[in-house]
Amino acid sequence: MMDAKLIFDQVSKYYGETDQAVTALNHISFQVHTGEFVAIVGPSGSGKSTLLSIAGLLLSPSKGRVILDQLEVNDLSSKEMSRVRLNKIGFVFQSSNLIPYLTVRDQLLFVAELAKNRTDQADQQAKRLLDRLGLTHRQEVYPDQLSGGERQRVAIARAWMNDPELILADEPTASLDSKRGRDVVEMLADEVRLREKAAIMVTHDERVLDLCDRVLEIKDGQLTQLSYKQVCTTDKND
Amino acid sequence: MFLTLREFRYSKLRYFLIGCIMILIAWLVFIISGLAQGLAADNAAAIDKMKVDRFLIQSDAEQKLNRSVITPKQWQNVSALVPKNAATPFGQKMLSVSKNGTAHKQDVALFAIDAASSLAPKVLEGKSLTNTTKGEVVVNQSLKEAGIQLGDFIQDFETDQKWKVVGFANGQSYSHAPVIFINLNDWNRLTKNLYYNAIALQVNQIDPSSITGKVKDVTIINKDQLLQNIPGFKEEQGSLTMMITFLFVIASFVQAVFFYVMTLQKTHQFGVLKAIGANTSYLARSLITQVGLLTIIAILCSLVFSYLTQMLLPSNIPFQLNIDTDIQFSALFLGVSLIGSLLSLYQIAKVDALEAIGRIE
Ligand SMILES: Nc1ncnc2c1ncn2[C@@H]1O[C@H](COP(=O)(O)OP(=O)(O)OP(=O)(O)O)[C@@H](O)[C@H]1O
Ligand SMILES: [Mg+2]
């Protein structure tokens, strides 16, 4: 229990008015442990993005408890949510979503700027991340000059910049070919294990599932754990 | 600041263009305001420079100096009521004069004053007017350009008068004509002792109502009322003020629309920024810095251009920049720009961090 980075406890999410509400998530419970890289798959409209938004403190659940790094976060105000987001969560979005007018290096430093700790340490951190993701030679370049894979790698570097406890990735490989996609997910997985953090990735891409510790499937707002991955999970957790 | 400067650097052309538009508008505002003040001075400097604050004129004159007639009898009554030096009569008349021996005529505004009173002009060159000499005149410097020099005679055929130019004064003009000053004795000869136009009053020494109660058919107005009723003054200033007002509205709209469209374009980006932890107030500050910086740079550039314009304009064009007005307009300009950015701020506040997830740009 102590090493659970994220706990969903009977979480439900309804959209809209009570009488004709859409149930996007229906009493979902699961945990993500330290060093674990979890994939979420499921058909379109099943509630994947909703789940990720709640885990990322972009949305509040309608019911249930969400515990992030020992802290109950389901009742926070939007201001507090924004603060926790800045310190504990790193996002990698579907289409990288870099800020067009910041150079690769500034994309990372901006996160430090937001957290009000633009120190030498932040500069070092940015340097280290860029180096690790093989982007050092591209650091003064704007996003429009990067390839899709490079952009996603920058997005991953940016997500690590504030040293978050939890990384959330929404289809990070959607805009990449399979080779590039696999590279990007590999990097994500390596970082998670190396730093003893946790990550959840929503994906449609079956070819990268073997890189994950666990695969959860969501259907009509209900969660099931895919059996063939459970084998893998036990392998790795032992 | 982090985002502001980097975005300026990245989208140079875009911000350069909007900056140019702002500079041009602000420049035009300063030019028109310079013109308004130049014209006002050209029209009213002689009155504006008088070191008095009230004027006694005929009540039926509709506050117009040229229509007002104060009889010598009324002047006697008034002077009996006030301490010495607190009141002085003066006459005003528009004339066409020519330098003796030439046919070229020149419009001038004649002011007849008591040379010992506070209305006497300061003379830069030559000697001052006195009450004892006959047929002497102090004229505004600008007449030099018409070839008039000290010792020259100027004459008016209509009234058959001839005066000797004894001194030059500076910045004395009225109703867009240079002023010439004569003493009251010459005036009485000219008008055959019939009238003055007004009496200038030092109001701190007298109670206006004590005069209007005792002297019939007169009224007391302040300097601003007199200025406003100089022929053409109100119309000139009014139309220029209207232009300036419109320019402010245009500037505010142009900038508001520019930033609004930029903000709409960046909705998704703001969503991403919010998702990675920037809050509304951070983004709002960033936008306000952008608007403020752009406006301040535009104002500074246009001020430089305006002062260059003033240097390059020929001296006979009435153009006068005034630091107080420049500061006022600059502040107003910044104010309307910031008000214009409210629309964008509202848009930024509305953006949800959720925009960032589950959507392809
Ligand atoms: N803002 C909203 N208002 C109302 N209903 C919503 C809203 N957002 C999502 N939904 C509904 O909730 C359900 C789950 O949506 P969600 O976006 O989580 O699906 P998803 O699994 O991410 O789908 P996809 O794979 O297509 O991205 C869907 O039925 C969707 O129509
Ligand atoms: Mg989705």
Side-chain angles (χ1 to χ4, degrees):
Chain A
M1 186 66 184
M2 266 309 284
D3 70 340
K5 285 278 185 216
L6 177 74
I7 304 171
F8 265 48
D9 182 17
Q10 296 293 321
V11 171
S12 298
K13 177 72 192 177
Y14 314 114
Y15 286 111
E17 303 294 318
T18 31
D19 49 338
Q20 48 192 332
V22 181
T23 305
L25 297 180
N26 194 1
H27 297 284
I28 287 200
S29 300
F30 69 95
Q31 302 188 357
V32 182
H33 299 281
T34 301
E36 211 177 15
F37 186 32
V38 175
I40 295 183
V41 295
S44 181
S46 54
K48 302 184 297 292
S49 293
T50 306
L51 189 148
L52 214 58
S53 305
I54 290 175
L57 274 70
L58 296 168
L59 264 184
S60 298
S62 310
K63 264 194 206 155
R65 295 195 311 151
V66 177
I67 293 158
L68 173 67
D69 199 27
Q70 265 59 261
L71 178 75
E72 186 163 332
V73 293
N74 39 288
D75 287 330
L76 296 185
S77 72
S78 66
K79 207 169 179 172
E80 288 167 319
M81 275 171 33
S82 154
R83 207 195 63 238
V84 176
R85 218 158 49 221
L86 182 58
N87 294 319
K88 304 237 159 160
I89 292 174
F91 287 103
V92 180
F93 301 107
Q94 198 157 0
S95 54
S96 77
N97 285 323
L98 300 176
I99 311 302
Y101 50 84
L102 296 182
T103 60
V104 168
R105 208 170 95 90
D106 286 342
Q107 304 276 347
L108 306 201
L109 292 182
F110 176 60
V111 177
E113 166 81 12
L114 273 183
K116 295 197 179 68
N117 64 353
R118 258 207 78 191
T119 51
D120 286 351
Q121 224 174 333
D123 285 6
Q124 290 297 321
Q125 166 91 329
K127 211 167 153 189
R128 210 162 43 233
L129 283 168
L130 290 174
D131 191 38
R132 214 180 125 57
L133 293 171
L135 290 162
T136 309
H137 63 295
R138 306 293 275 161
Q139 60 177 325
E140 296 302 333
V141 161
Y142 289 104
D144 58 2
Q145 289 156 287
L146 295 174
S147 72
E150 283 172 327
R151 275 184 225 177
Q152 277 310 39
R153 282 188 308 200
V154 176
I156 291 171
R158 178 177 71 180
W160 283 119
M161 190 57 198
N162 54 358
D163 204 23
E165 298 304 319
L166 181 65
I167 292 274
L168 300 172
D170 194 14
E171 309 198 24
T173 59
S175 52
L176 303 177
D177 63 45
S178 60
K179 166 85 173 61
R180 292 273 175 212
R182 207 180 157 78
D183 285 351
V184 163
V185 175
E186 238 163 16
M187 263 168 210
L188 206 52
D190 288 351
E191 286 288 312
V192 169
R193 282 168 204 135
L194 187 80
R195 292 163 178 267
E196 305 202 307
K197 302 296 162 101
I200 304 177
M201 171 178 72
V202 165
T203 185
H204 278 121
D205 192 351
E206 309 239 318
R207 289 163 302 192
V208 297
L209 290 182
D210 61 298
L211 295 168
C212 307
D213 300 310
R214 226 158 17 120
V215 178
L216 303 174
E217 183 172 30
I218 188 165
K219 234 182 223 157
D220 299 329
Q222 310 263 13
L223 208 58
T224 48
Q225 195 146 321
L226 285 190
S227 51
Y228 74 89
K229 284 310 293 183
Q230 276 173 324
V231 184
C232 272
T233 315
T234 19
D235 270 2
K236 281 189 179 162
N237 275 7
D238 281 357
Chain B
M1 277 308 240
F2 190 93
L3 291 183
T4 311
L5 295 180
R6 282 167 177 79
E7 192 173 5
F8 278 168
R9 198 189 321 152
Y10 185 75
S11 313
K12 286 182 214 80
L13 184 64
R14 213 180 269 192
Y15 287 102
F16 174 75
L17 290 177
I18 184 74
C20 284
I21 295 176
M22 297 306 292
I23 289 174
L24 289 174
I25 296 177
W27 191 8
L28 192 54
V29 165
F30 288 126
I31 285 182
I32 294 180
S33 100
L35 212 56
Q37 286 164 76
L39 284 171
D42 209 35
N43 214 344
I47 299 285
D48 208 31
K49 282 198 172 156
M50 288 182 174
K51 288 188 206 69
V52 291
D53 29 31
R54 296 293 151 93
F55 296 88
L56 180 139
I57 59 169
Q58 187 188 1
S59 25
D60 290 339
E62 292 175 359
Q63 309 191 346
K64 287 187 167 65
L65 186 60
N66 55 334
R67 290 200 193 162
S68 166
V69 168
I70 301 290
T71 62
K73 182 96 183 54
Q74 282 172 315
W75 160 235
Q76 268 168 27
N77 292 345
V78 171
S79 69
L81 289 169
V82 301
K84 209 169 165 342
N85 295 335
T88 174
F90 66 93
Q92 199 281 314
K93 203 170 165 53
M94 300 306 291
L95 297 176
S96 286
V97 297
S98 57
K99 186 176 157 182
N100 213 9
T102 65
H104 178 72
K105 280 194 180 178
Q106 160 92 40
D107 286 331
V108 295
L110 176 94
F111 273 76
I113 46 131
D114 176 354
S117 74
S118 64
L119 300 190
K122 219 166 120 193
V123 171
L124 287 184
E125 210 185 316
K127 68 184 191 72
S128 303
L129 210 59
T130 63
N131 283 332
T132 48
T133 47
K134 209 171 132 183
E136 287 190 346
V137 66
V138 165
V139 305
N140 190 46
Q141 252 182 350
S142 62
L143 282 176
K144 277 188 194 168
E145 277 157 35
I148 290 170
Q149 284 161 355
L150 288 181
D152 282 352
F153 282 89
I154 54 176
Q155 56 185 351
D156 174 38
F157 292 105
E158 197 190 319
T159 56
D160 196 21
Q161 296 290 320
K162 203 165 126 186
W163 298 285
K164 185 183 173 193
V165 176
V166 297
F168 284 111
N170 187 23
Q172 295 283 0
S173 66
Y174 177 79
S175 198
H176 302 303
V179 171
I180 65 172
F181 291 94
I182 60 171
N183 66 30
L184 287 175
N185 292 333
D186 284 342
W187 171 260
N188 289 335
R189 232 183 325 278
L190 180 77
T191 60
K192 308 198 168 58
N193 273 323
L194 275 180
Y195 71 96
Y196 301 105
N197 287 84
I199 299 173
L201 299 173
Q202 286 313 0
V203 87
N204 54 356
Q205 294 180 39
I206 39 182
D207 171 19
S209 60
S210 72
I211 303 176
T212 44
K214 288 184 186 137
V215 183
K216 258 199 275 181
D217 297 332
V218 298
T219 181
I220 293 179
I221 61 175
N222 62 30
K223 197 187 248 181
D224 199 47
Q225 287 169 308
L226 191 70
L227 290 178
Q228 291 296 327
N229 287 293
I230 295 174
F233 188 91
K234 224 181 338 198
E235 292 76 5
E236 261 169 32
Q237 296 296 313
S239 51
L240 293 173
T241 309
M242 195 175 74
M243 280 189 221
I244 292 175
T245 316
F246 263 90
L247 284 173
F248 273 117
V249 175
I250 292 170
S252 151
F253 265 82
V254 167
Q255 220 181 16
V257 168
F258 174 82
F259 279 102
Y260 185 61
V261 171
M262 292 273 284
T263 308
L264 285 185
Q265 267 185 3
K266 292 193 292 190
T267 308
H268 182 74
Q269 200 189 101
F270 283 126
V272 174
L273 288 171
K274 280 189 175 181
I276 61 179
N279 49 25
T280 300
S281 84
Y282 183 91
L283 298 176
R285 258 180 290 141
S286 168
L287 178 85
I288 288 176
T289 324
Q290 272 187 351
V291 176
L293 220 58
L294 199 67
T295 314
I296 289 171
I297 292 172
I299 289 173
L300 291 179
C301 290
S302 58
L303 275 175
V304 170
F305 291 160
S306 305
Y307 277 88
L308 283 178
T309 310
Q310 186 175 31
M311 278 165 56
L312 294 177
L313 279 179
S315 63
N316 57 352
I317 291 182
F319 187 88
Q320 219 174 75
L321 289 170
N322 164 317
I323 293 181
D324 285 347
T325 323
D326 291 347
I327 292 174
Q328 252 172 35
F329 280 162
S330 301
L332 198 60
F333 215 76
L334 192 60
V336 295
S337 301
L338 292 177
I339 289 173
S341 69
L342 288 179
L343 202 62
S344 307
L345 289 183
Y346 170 72
Q347 201 60 34
I348 288 178
K350 240 176 50 180
V351 173
D352 197 321
L354 266 178
E355 291 270 349
I357 270 208
R359 250 238 250 147
I360 303 180
E361 253 175 294

